[in-house]
Amino acid sequence: MASKSFKASRSSLSISSDAGDSAHHRPPLPPTVTFGRRTASGRYVSYSRDDLDSELGSGEFMNYTVHIPPTPDNQPMDGPMDPSISQKVEEQYVSNSLFTGGFNSVTRAHLMDKVIESEASHPQMAGAKGSSCAILGCDAKVMSDERGADILPCECDFKICRDCYLDAVKTGGGICPGCKEQYKALDLDEMAVENGRPLPLPPPAGMSKMERRLSLMKSTKSVLMRSQTGDFDHNRWLFETRGTYGYGNAIWPKDGGFGNGNGKDDEVSEPQELVSKPWRPLTRKLKIPAAVLSPYRLLIFIRMVALGLFLAWRVMNKNEDAIWLWGMSVVCEIWFAFSWLLDQLPKLCPVNRSTDLSVLKEKFETPSATNPTGKSDLPGIDVFVSTADPEKEPPLVTANTILSILAADYPVEKLACYVSDDGGALLTFEAMAEAASFANIWVPFCRKHDIEPRNPESYFNLKRDPYKNKVKPDFVKDRRRVKREYDEFKVRTNGLPDSIRRRSDAYHAREEIKAMKLQRQNRDEEPVEIVKVPKATWMADGTHWPGTWMTAGPEHSKGDHAGIIQVMLKPPSDEPLQGTADDTRLIDLTDVDIRLPLLVYVSREKRPGYDHNKKAGAMNALVRASAIMSNGPFILNLDCDHYIYNSQAMREGMCFMMDRGGDRLCYVQFPQRFEGIDPSDRYANHNTVFFDVNMRALDGLQGPVYVGTGCLFRRIALYGFDPPRAKEHHSGCCSCCFTHRKGRVSVATTPEEHRALRMGDSDDEEMNLSLLPKRFGNSNFLIDSIPVAEFQGRPLADHPAVKNGRPPGALTIPRDLLDASTVAEAISVISCWYEDKTEWGNRVGWIYGSVTEDVVTGYRMHNRGWKSVYCVTKRDAFRGTAPINLTDRLHQVLRWATGSVEIFFSRNNALLASPRMKLLQRVAYLNVGIYPFTSIFLIVYCFLPALSLFSGQFIVQTLNVTFLTYLLIITVTLCMLAVLEIKWSGIELEEWWRNEQFWLIGGTSAHLAAVLQGLLKVVAGIEISFTLTSKSGGDDVDDEFADLYTVKWTSLMIPPITIMMTNLIGIAVGFSRTIYSVLPQWSRLLGGVFFSFWVLAHLYPFAKGLMGRRGRTPTIVFVWSGLIAITISLLWVAINPPSGSTEIGGSFQFP
């Protein structure tokens, strides 16, 4: 194993190696770029680079490219040059290396011959096969291009690696070691030419990589953007008049960047075509029809009035016979009315939205004046997938999620996938490597035949006809071959645990034999003791795994291991790489792009004594690592079991981010859809009422809450910055429902680009950049990436109403190549100490301190004035799995409710929200923190019918007309509201009823436990966990829903069981008392029985879950249950017989 060490510096290791030798072989550089500032009078003033850097981000600076016609002293280059081959070779080295490091340790890059046991074939993959260097004693890989073909510098095709080639050039006089002839090209840069963009201008001294990239993007100011100011546009006038007034006219080049100097007229773009096109929005807001929404709002108002009158009547009309029963019922009813208001008021303004993907393609991927090649101008997206334990989260499920991401319909060069393995398991590492290897055939297959969904497990298990709408004649053959490859991939992945165990045992035995031999050599005559060698976990290349070992050891356990980064798939080339007919592949990929997105395995450093903050800490580590390696301005986070079901989902989300006003959106939340749910959805696992009713309603306010997965974030919103134009937007009481006149708002005269990055409530026009290290840590590279991400995330400035926009074509520049120092920097920011004395987890990134970190993170963004959007696509964007077992479902609800109680007792309580949050949005967040407390009143109210039947009293004196009228109005309005909600949300009546049932089941079990947990934690600092204690059933492997019938006992089941038994006994007692009473009180019986049946009807799914599979519960159980209920009822009547009678059934008497 070869290894290489790096210091904690950010010096470029890839440029210095051969810069000196190739300096006088390179062609002359293109003309330099000058910077100017336009004054109020229209005059231009030149600025130096230092002056420009002091005001980085100003919209008043324009970059110009001067095209000089070719003359004898100015000859253009023969063709645009490819970036340095030496840099590409180092990128290949980086992708074949496993980087490790952390606190007080050196960052090392372990060069790996292979990552998995099977052979890797894709040239982007780590450990891909390649030729070895022919120099004796050198086992390095030969340089290769994007297709994996060897780059051979000599015509004799002598195979030589980069280091040996440089040695031959520097010390061997440029003689080929094979044919002993002089190399014709002494510079590696002259060996590769591509039809892409020309090389960027060299950076000024002292300018960082991120600053240089920001300068390049800002140099592509569009003609349209400058012409919308209303001032005279010199550049446009020069273009339209072909400006013939001097030598070297400053005209706008066709590609919007640096010119190629050929001086042809046809290379000049025509802006009239772009200006004349009508501007089209990317999204539309579809309002709910007034015929549905107006009655809906009216019914809410009517029910509010009815509830108020009813509660007033209840307070004034006491039940003197049972004052205790009346008092408990009134208190509960007042709380229920308050809880209903908190839930219903945010639903006043529901909206639907739609996107137009054709407009997105036209604006960002269609040839135009600012983008003549039609190269994608979409911003980059970094996709985060989190996993922690391969035993609880099967690696095959995570691998399928990764494959669906790699095959997504988004520009390959703009997409990056980061897998966070918080357990540091070699099993997850090798499963991801296997997935990267299988992606070599799966991703091109999806692109060739437009496969949906692009999760292979889901696709091959589809119950519909897979050949529908497929017209290519080779589809059947391709599908059969890919299916066979996937089956082999599944077998390899499922066999990884045994493979790793056998490999580790073999290496461990070898190490023990070596140690014993060494001991014998050192002790010739002394008795040999048993040598104890730590049982390590070994990788495929025969080296120790730096993460968690199967047999935990020092610095190799779940809470104690180094940080690890492995580039599984190196960044793709900037231009499409089409497959060819002569490729040795299973399927014909002619004219199919075979590139794969960047895939990175990340396992953050963990050490004892540090609070690693669970999933939120892992997400923040990915935020920092991705900022350094790819710096996508948008982040999509997915759970490991939540895969992309709609390959265009990211494009749908980008429509909102890139539309007018999209710069004020912090995230786009997609609904969660689930697979594997039983057809009846017994425990409301689909949660459609929340995702299709509540979330659509919140979309009409300040936006939906963040629910933990399937969310597209704006990176700078995660960084804790305020939204642009934050002081211009003020929340109103009912601004979502009714129009209001905007008051005059004073806006600073500073350009918007200066105010794009603001944090906190300070009135400074621009944030003090010197404070950033205190907030983000001591990584200068990370801090430099912030303004780049902010600029790349802006919408297009293609309309006068678009504020804080970026010029079209700014994101068509090639990416920066990965080098070893960049990955070493990424290792340092995922170390366990990096967040010390910073604001990570407090204001920056995912917020710490709550079980439900997702809700708190979204709340903080809304509290700063950001908005969010709910994106419901025609085809589900993402799909995942949900627990269908009763106990698992209760524990899931318990975790959510516990987080809500923590929110209520923290500073994230909506009562403490800032004025930037809208009133109804605040009400919605207040309901998030309060709803678990409803369980206290709900349990009391569920016992009231039984207490009423036991005592012979009722919550009212008599069932008079007034009470029944109020009850009827409240019930009918509730049903009518449900019908209208079903109408505008699209859910079904059965789904609404299932939600009502599980509301009572969860409210009487998990919510109460959450309240107890929260109170004990806040008051006494005691933490209680409710765990599974026993398990039975669920052994039917052939049944898809076997887990539904599994009965796992938990203490959460005690309150609902008690409520059911009490009400059943109460009904029996009530009937017995009334039937054998001299003066039967039928009204009180009917009232108590009605409410008891209401409780039992809601608890029916819970009772069904306790019985397990139908037919498996013995009949004797039901017989004994009935006998016990009858016996208890008779005993109650005997102990407390009806007044004035001791007889039961006429002549029969108790002894």
Side-chain angles (χ1 to χ4, degrees):
M1 179 187 70
S3 63
K4 187 174 181 179
S5 301
F6 299 97
K7 296 181 180 178
S9 65
R10 291 174 46 244
S11 60
S12 176
L13 303 181
S14 59
I15 300 176
S16 59
S17 59
D18 53 358
D21 293 301
S22 59
H24 39 268
H25 293 287
R26 291 176 177 167
L29 294 171
T32 58
V33 176
T34 58
F35 300 89
R37 183 170 186 174
R38 189 177 186 176
T39 63
S41 61
R43 187 170 58 89
Y44 285 86
V45 180
S46 297
Y47 266 64
S48 67
R49 166 58 65 177
D50 294 335
D51 294 332
L52 182 67
D53 286 344
S54 65
E55 302 185 33
L56 186 63
S58 172
E60 298 184 6
F61 295 103
M62 306 296 178
N63 292 358
Y64 303 96
T65 302
V66 179
H67 280 222
I68 303 178
T71 60
D73 60 340
N74 176 42
Q75 291 294 326
M77 294 180 287
D78 295 334
M81 288 294 178
D82 192 34
S84 172
I85 294 295
S86 61
Q87 294 183 22
K88 287 194 172 185
V89 171
E90 176 156 1
E91 185 176 62
Q92 187 175 356
Y93 163 79
V94 168
S95 67
N96 285 323
S97 300
L98 181 75
F99 285 77
T100 61
F103 182 59
N104 286 337
S105 60
V106 178
T107 300
R108 298 186 180 277
H110 307 276
L111 188 61
M112 303 178 67
D113 296 330
K114 59 179 181 178
V115 180
I116 51 178
E117 297 289 350
S118 55
E119 192 176 67
S121 57
H122 197 281
Q124 285 181 240
M125 185 178 173
K129 64 179 181 179
S131 304
S132 298
C133 181
I135 300 294
L136 294 176
C138 180
D139 58 352
K141 295 287 182 64
V142 175
M143 299 174 288
S144 61
D145 58 12
E146 287 83 358
R147 296 184 181 273
D150 295 339
I151 297 178
L152 306 176
C154 185
E155 293 180 352
C156 70
D157 292 341
F158 182 79
K159 295 181 179 181
I160 187 170
C161 66
R162 170 180 174 269
D163 293 334
C164 293
Y165 171 78
L166 292 177
D167 290 339
V169 171
K170 294 178 180 179
T171 62
I175 304 298
C176 173
C179 63
K180 309 302 181 184
E181 296 290 335
Q182 185 81 21
Y183 280 122
K184 292 186 178 180
L186 295 181
D187 184 13
L188 291 177
D189 293 351
E190 298 176 7
M191 291 159 44
V193 176
E194 67 176 4
N195 296 323
R197 296 178 62 92
L199 281 171
L201 296 181
M207 192 177 188
S208 70
K209 183 191 295 185
M210 287 294 180
E211 291 173 337
R212 180 171 75 252
R213 184 165 184 81
L214 186 62
S215 175
L216 286 173
M217 289 185 296
K218 290 192 175 185
S219 68
T220 57
K221 297 285 184 181
S222 69
V223 175
L224 180 65
M225 182 180 178
R226 290 194 302 276
S227 64
Q228 289 171 357
T229 60
D231 299 330
F232 178 72
D233 195 323
H234 295 272
N235 293 291
R236 182 171 179 179
W237 180 82
L238 285 171
F239 177 84
E240 293 177 350
T241 60
R242 292 288 192 266
T244 56
Y245 60 87
Y247 177 83
N249 298 327
I251 61 177
W252 203 253
K254 181 178 179 181
D255 58 358
F258 304 104
N260 53 15
N262 56 15
K264 295 182 180 179
D265 290 342
D266 58 356
E267 291 296 316
V268 179
S269 60
E270 178 60 57
Q272 292 293 340
E273 193 176 303
L274 181 63
V275 176
S276 60
K277 285 185 178 179
W279 184 84
R280 298 167 62 192
L282 292 168
T283 63
R284 288 187 301 158
K285 182 186 292 187
L286 307 177
K287 294 186 177 180
I288 308 297
V292 176
L293 192 56
S294 297
Y296 181 73
R297 290 174 175 170
L298 179 61
L299 279 174
I300 293 176
F301 177 74
I302 292 174
R303 195 166 194 268
M304 288 172 58
V305 174
L307 280 173
L309 295 175
F310 172 70
L311 293 175
W313 180 85
R314 290 277 285 119
V315 170
M316 290 186 293
N317 292 270
K318 300 179 181 178
N319 184 0
E320 300 294 345
D321 296 336
I323 196 71
W324 57 274
L325 201 61
W326 168 85
M328 288 192 297
S329 63
V330 168
V331 171
C332 293
E333 287 162 2
I334 291 174
W335 179 266
F336 292 151
F338 172 67
S339 178
W340 177 81
L341 275 178
L342 291 182
D343 181 68
Q344 199 66 48
L345 286 178
K347 297 180 183 178
L348 288 171
C349 320
V351 296
N352 290 322
R353 301 181 188 271
S354 66
T355 60
D356 195 334
L357 294 179
S358 62
V359 178
L360 184 78
K361 185 173 183 63
E362 178 185 332
K363 288 188 176 185
F364 292 89
E365 296 178 322
T366 303
S368 62
T370 54
N371 186 15
T373 61
K375 187 178 178 181
S376 177
D377 196 24
L378 287 169
I381 297 179
D382 293 338
V383 186
F384 295 171
V385 179
S386 59
T387 182
D389 190 345
E391 295 181 0
K392 297 180 181 179
E393 298 164 334
L396 185 61
V397 175
T398 307
N400 273 277
T401 300
I402 301 301
L403 290 168
S404 71
I405 295 170
L406 299 179
D409 184 7
Y410 201 78
V412 183
E413 67 276 9
K414 303 296 182 71
L415 189 61
C417 179
Y418 293 83
V419 182
S420 170
D421 178 18
D422 226 25
L426 179 60
L427 175 57
T428 304
F429 176 85
E430 295 199 0
M432 296 306 99
E434 289 284 0
S437 178
F438 177 67
N440 183 30
I441 182 175
W442 172 251
V443 174
F445 169 71
C446 292
R447 291 173 183 161
K448 178 180 179 181
H449 297 290
D450 296 326
I451 299 299
E452 293 286 354
R454 300 191 175 182
N455 175 325
E457 183 70 20
S458 298
Y459 172 71
F460 290 121
N461 289 330
L462 285 177
K463 296 180 180 179
R464 59 177 173 82
D465 182 12
Y467 307 108
K468 186 178 180 180
N469 300 327
K470 302 301 180 186
V471 296
K472 293 187 178 181
D474 57 351
F475 172 71
V476 176
K477 179 183 64 176
D478 290 352
R479 185 180 187 276
R480 188 183 303 118
R481 291 180 175 178
V482 174
K483 177 65 167 63
R484 185 179 66 249
E485 285 294 314
Y486 177 65
D487 290 339
E488 294 178 358
F489 160 73
K490 286 174 64 176
V491 171
R492 288 196 306 271
T493 304
N494 292 331
L496 281 177
D498 291 336
S499 174
I500 295 172
R501 189 177 296 107
R502 288 195 304 269
R503 180 202 311 151
S504 299
D505 290 343
Y507 279 115
H508 179 68
R510 187 193 67 178
E511 292 296 309
E512 284 186 335
I513 293 172
K514 283 184 178 180
M516 292 180 65
K517 287 182 178 180
L518 183 62
Q519 191 179 43
R520 287 194 182 98
Q521 292 176 0
N522 296 335
R523 302 179 179 181
D524 295 332
E525 298 179 355
E526 297 181 11
V528 179
E529 299 178 358
I530 299 176
V531 181
K532 293 185 178 180
V533 179
K535 194 170 184 179
T537 300
W538 295 75
M539 294 188 288
D541 68 336
T543 58
H544 282 183
W545 168 243
T548 301
W549 289 351
M550 291 185 294
T551 302
E555 297 187 355
H556 291 285
S557 62
K558 284 188 177 181
D560 184 14
H561 62 80
I564 307 169
I565 291 181
Q566 169 72 63
V567 181
M568 292 287 187
L569 292 171
K570 69 177 182 180
S573 57
D574 194 54
E575 297 296 331
L577 191 64
Q578 306 295 339
T580 56
D582 57 352
D583 279 349
T584 57
R585 297 176 182 269
L586 286 175
I587 59 178
D588 183 12
L589 298 178
T590 305
D591 298 330
V592 178
D593 192 355
I594 61 173
R595 295 177 300 163
L596 300 176
L598 171 67
L599 176 61
V600 183
Y601 170 91
V602 179
S603 182
R604 58 178 174 147
E605 182 190 21
K606 286 189 172 183
R607 297 300 180 195
Y610 285 88
D611 185 2
H612 299 104
N613 297 295
K614 300 178 181 177
K615 179 182 176 181
M619 289 292 100
N620 286 339
L622 286 187
V623 171
R624 297 190 294 270
S626 63
I628 289 173
M629 298 183 69
S630 57
N631 198 31
F634 297 99
I635 294 172
L636 173 67
N637 88 290
L638 297 173
D639 288 342
C640 63
D641 61 344
H642 224 72
Y643 70 92
I644 297 179
Y645 187 74
N646 181 354
S647 63
Q648 293 190 321
M650 286 184 272
R651 290 179 178 270
E652 300 245 15
M654 202 54 64
C655 286
F656 292 102
M657 291 295 191
M658 294 291 102
D659 205 7
R660 181 172 55 186
D663 59 329
R664 289 183 52 81
L665 294 181
C666 55
Y667 60 81
V668 176
Q669 178 65 60
F670 294 85
Q672 291 187 23
R673 306 299 187 201
F674 302 103
E675 295 177 334
I677 307 297
D678 55 297
S680 63
D681 193 13
R682 181 187 293 176
Y683 306 123
N685 291 97
H686 284 299
N687 220 354
T688 50
V689 172
F690 174 76
F691 287 113
D692 290 326
V693 177
N694 297 67
M695 297 286 271
R696 287 177 194 263
L698 289 176
D699 198 14
L701 305 177
Q702 204 169 336
V705 298
Y706 167 43
V707 295
T709 183
C711 189
L712 182 67
F713 282 99
R714 184 179 298 276
R715 184 180 284 270
I716 62 162
L718 275 173
Y719 284 159
F721 291 104
D722 295 339
R725 308 178 298 282
K727 295 185 179 180
E728 300 176 30
H729 293 75
H730 296 279
S731 62
C733 178
C734 298
S735 58
C736 58
C737 305
F738 309 102
T739 57
H740 61 280
R741 185 176 299 175
K742 293 183 179 180
R744 297 186 61 185
V745 181
S746 61
V747 182
T749 57
T750 308
E752 181 58 39
E753 293 184 7
H754 276 222
R755 295 181 283 122
L757 292 175
R758 294 182 65 256
M759 183 183 291
D761 299 325
S762 63
D763 294 330
D764 298 337
E765 293 177 349
E766 186 177 3
M767 180 165 179
N768 187 358
L769 297 181
S770 63
L771 299 177
L772 292 182
K774 297 180 180 179
R775 293 190 169 104
F776 296 96
N778 58 2
S779 173
N780 293 329
F781 203 110
L782 175 63
I783 294 172
D784 291 343
S785 72
I786 294 175
V788 177
E790 188 278 327
F791 180 82
Q792 290 181 333
R794 297 180 185 179
L796 282 186
D798 58 350
H799 190 273
V802 176
K803 299 181 179 179
N804 192 37
R806 64 170 173 85
L811 303 187
T812 58
I813 62 175
R815 63 169 182 84
D816 292 325
L817 296 175
L818 270 183
D819 55 27
S821 61
T822 299
V823 186
E825 184 77 8
I827 282 286
S828 70
V829 300
I830 63 171
S831 59
C832 58
W833 55 268
Y834 185 83
E835 295 182 354
D836 289 352
K837 298 180 181 179
T838 67
E839 294 192 4
W840 284 98
N842 182 27
R843 181 188 178 95
V844 180
W846 270 259
I847 306 302
Y848 301 154
S850 174
V851 178
T852 52
E853 72 287 334
D854 45 7
V855 176
V856 177
T857 302
Y859 167 80
R860 291 288 186 90
M861 295 181 186
H862 285 141
N863 202 33
R864 289 193 288 269
W866 288 96
K867 290 184 177 181
S868 60
V869 160
Y870 197 51
C871 180
V872 182
T873 56
K874 291 182 179 180
R875 178 184 176 86
D876 294 345
F878 309 100
R879 283 193 178 180
T881 58
I884 61 174
N885 179 264
L886 173 60
T887 305
D888 295 338
R889 176 79 166 121
L890 289 177
H891 278 267
Q892 182 188 53
V893 174
L894 171 64
R895 186 175 63 84
W896 296 342
T898 303
S900 295
V901 174
E902 290 176 348
I903 290 172
F904 182 79
F905 288 111
S906 69
R907 64 190 183 112
N908 298 311
N909 191 316
L911 294 173
L912 307 176
S914 71
R916 294 182 179 179
M917 183 177 289
K918 291 184 178 180
L919 175 63
L920 294 183
Q921 187 80 14
R922 189 178 307 198
V923 171
Y925 273 113
L926 183 62
N927 187 43
V928 169
I930 281 182
Y931 81 88
F933 294 94
T934 304
S935 62
I936 300 174
F937 304 92
L938 186 60
I939 285 185
V940 173
Y941 210 73
C942 287
F943 278 112
L944 287 182
L947 294 176
S948 174
L949 292 168
F950 284 140
S951 63
Q953 302 294 331
F954 194 51
I955 58 176
V956 293
Q957 192 81 29
T958 57
L959 290 177
N960 54 22
V961 177
T962 306
F963 176 76
L964 293 176
T965 303
Y966 278 127
L967 193 62
L968 181 64
I969 293 174
I970 291 172
T971 305
V972 170
T973 52
L974 178 64
C975 293
M976 294 178 67
L977 282 172
V979 171
L980 290 175
E981 282 185 0
I982 290 170
K983 187 74 174 175
W984 62 255
S985 65
I987 66 173
E988 297 179 0
L989 181 61
E990 183 183 5
E991 294 173 329
W992 179 86
W993 172 239
R994 289 291 185 221
N995 181 79
E996 291 295 308
Q997 287 180 312
F998 199 79
W999 169 76
L1000 193 140
I1001 295 172
T1004 56
S1005 57
H1007 294 176
L1008 179 64
V1011 172
L1012 294 176
Q1013 277 184 319
L1015 290 176
L1016 287 174
K1017 185 177 180 180
V1018 171
V1019 176
I1022 302 173
E1023 294 192 15
I1024 301 176
S1025 61
F1026 295 84
T1027 56
L1028 310 181
T1029 56
S1030 65
K1031 179 178 179 180
S1032 66
D1035 54 355
D1036 190 351
V1037 181
D1038 297 330
D1039 191 350
E1040 181 183 358
F1041 307 114
D1043 201 34
L1044 179 68
Y1045 310 108
T1046 303
V1047 179
K1048 307 175 188 176
W1049 173 254
T1050 173
S1051 54
L1052 297 178
M1053 295 179 177
I1054 295 176
I1057 291 176
T1058 307
I1059 290 173
M1060 282 195 306
M1061 294 299 297
T1062 306
N1063 277 276
L1064 285 172
I1065 295 173
I1067 291 173
V1069 170
F1071 269 108
S1072 302
R1073 177 185 297 277
T1074 305
I1075 290 174
Y1076 300 116
S1077 177
V1078 177
L1079 298 173
Q1081 298 288 335
W1082 290 104
S1083 62
R1084 295 180 179 178
L1085 174 66
L1086 290 176
V1089 170
F1090 173 79
F1091 283 107
S1092 288
F1093 272 116
W1094 177 86
V1095 173
L1096 293 174
H1098 282 74
L1099 289 174
Y1100 173 71
F1102 178 82
K1104 200 172 180 181
L1106 287 181
M1107 290 187 290
R1109 186 184 296 275
R1110 183 179 303 171
R1112 289 193 173 186
T1113 305
T1115 307
I1116 192 64
V1117 173
F1118 299 103
V1119 174
W1120 277 106
S1121 299
L1123 289 174
I1124 292 173
I1126 293 172
T1127 304
I1128 294 175
S1129 303
L1130 292 174
L1131 285 174
W1132 179 273
V1133 176
I1135 294 170
N1136 187 17
S1139 58
S1141 176
T1142 58
E1143 297 182 356
I1144 297 179
S1147 61
F1148 178 79
Q1149 294 183 354
F1150 270 100

